Amino acid sequence: MGKITRALQKATQESIEHIEKIVKIKEYEQMVVHKLKDSKLDARLVAYFDPKAVISEQYKILTTNILSLNKGKPPKTIAITSSIAAEGKTVSSLNLALTLSRATHNPRIILVDGDMRRGQLLNYLGAPPRLGLSEYLQGNASLDDILFSLDDIGHLSFIASGAVPANPVELLASERMKDLVAALRAKYNFVLIDTPPVIPVTDAVIIGSYVEGVLMVIKAAHTQRGMVSRAVELLVQAHSNIIGHVLTGVEYFIPEYIYRYL
């Protein structure tokens, strides 16, 4: 076993130990989010509805940490994934995109729903079905056909997942997908790709090899330690650059440790 592999395993172990410590700490102030605006957006997009909420502040810290990577030259293409389903990837992706847009001068940020199996982006945005990534990768739509924005958050751009294709893995592994990531990188300040979980399917591993950074979402008191370790191992084997871990499902504000989620 090489030194690099041992170092990666050690880093992963330390991250998991931090996460396990978080869920055992004394609980403080309850996080409550109120949907104050009349909007079709899901109430869990707290960065939109309540930018000053405790949860929103944690996304600001996450954004600051990302922007400070590589001495202020952060990765422009970032995949957001998790070990298993229902860990909060899409909600985290949307809140991160919203917070990044406020922290970036002349923001040009796009969020891509890379889950062509069970994409949820449109549901959280309260938007109707539309052409998306699957149609583009099959050659049935152009980039202009699938790009869209909303009046509520017009400073962000989106690409939906599209209709469920018969061969999502083959489409993601295609040159057309690689070219799309490169084209979006040239056009936007940040490209965020919400991917399926790592353990059940290989989609996230494929996308992770195309982007400059991967964020792992981990749900407190939900995700087993072995699942996280295995997911990290698969991403590392594909030469993905894991830039941090985001802890979700924390119901209370934990001042001493919450900043350590990245």
Side-chain angles (χ1 to χ4, degrees):
M1 182 182 296
K3 293 182 178 179
I4 295 177
T5 301
R6 285 196 296 270
L8 287 169
Q9 290 181 338
K10 181 179 179 181
T12 302
Q13 178 73 15
E14 290 175 350
S15 296
I16 294 172
E17 288 173 356
H18 281 317
I19 291 161
E20 290 179 335
K21 188 181 293 184
I22 286 172
V23 299
K24 297 176 183 177
I25 298 172
K26 183 179 178 181
E27 298 169 345
Y28 283 81
E29 174 188 350
Q30 186 173 8
M31 294 196 240
V32 179
V33 179
H34 300 285
K35 187 173 180 179
L36 301 177
K37 302 177 183 179
D38 183 15
S39 173
K40 293 182 180 179
L41 298 177
D42 192 282
R44 283 166 285 190
L45 304 190
V46 59
Y48 172 78
F49 289 108
D50 194 356
K52 295 183 180 180
V54 171
I55 301 174
S56 298
E57 291 299 324
Q58 306 314 309
Y59 281 108
K60 292 176 185 177
I61 295 172
L62 173 61
T63 295
T64 299
N65 288 341
I66 290 174
L67 293 175
S68 65
L69 290 172
N70 300 329
K71 298 181 179 180
K73 296 181 179 179
K76 294 182 63 176
T77 53
I78 300 173
I80 298 92
T81 191
S82 62
S83 305
I84 56 178
E87 297 197 69
K89 294 184 297 77
T90 305
V91 170
S92 297
S93 300
L94 279 161
N95 279 298
L96 175 58
L98 287 162
T99 309
L100 266 174
S101 69
R102 295 193 182 106
T104 308
H105 180 64
N106 293 326
R108 289 177 292 115
I109 297 171
I110 186 166
L111 174 58
V112 180
D113 190 343
D115 189 345
M116 294 186 290
R117 302 168 189 268
R118 298 178 62 184
Q120 295 296 315
L121 178 64
L122 292 179
N123 291 336
Y124 285 107
L125 294 176
R130 59 185 306 121
L131 296 176
L133 183 62
S134 64
E135 285 82 11
Y136 175 83
L137 295 179
Q138 293 175 92
N140 297 326
S142 67
L143 182 55
D144 288 338
D145 291 333
I146 62 174
L147 290 172
F148 74 98
S149 59
L150 301 175
D151 291 338
D152 287 357
I153 40 179
H155 53 289
L156 292 178
S157 296
F158 301 97
I159 294 177
S161 59
V164 178
N167 55 340
V169 172
E170 289 81 359
L171 292 176
L172 291 174
S174 67
E175 289 297 321
R176 192 166 173 83
M177 181 63 187
K178 294 180 184 178
D179 292 343
L180 175 62
V181 173
L184 294 176
R185 187 186 189 282
K187 184 175 182 179
Y188 294 92
N189 298 122
F190 289 96
V191 179
L192 306 180
I193 306 178
D194 179 23
T195 78
V198 175
I199 299 297
V201 293
T202 62
D203 304 30
V205 174
I206 295 171
I207 295 174
S209 66
Y210 299 157
V211 298
E212 298 161 87
V214 176
L215 278 174
M216 281 283 298
V217 175
I218 302 169
K219 188 173 183 179
H222 173 80
T223 315
Q224 295 181 359
R225 180 192 187 104
M227 290 291 188
V228 177
S229 297
R230 179 56 179 161
V232 170
E233 181 182 350
L234 291 170
L235 289 166
V236 169
Q237 287 175 355
H239 306 291
S240 298
N241 176 31
I242 301 174
I243 60 175
H245 300 79
V246 179
L247 186 67
T248 62
V250 179
E251 297 181 357
Y252 297 89
F253 182 40
I254 307 167
E256 294 93 336
Y257 289 89
I258 196 70
Y259 74 94
R260 292 187 180 180
Y261 60 57
L262 180 65

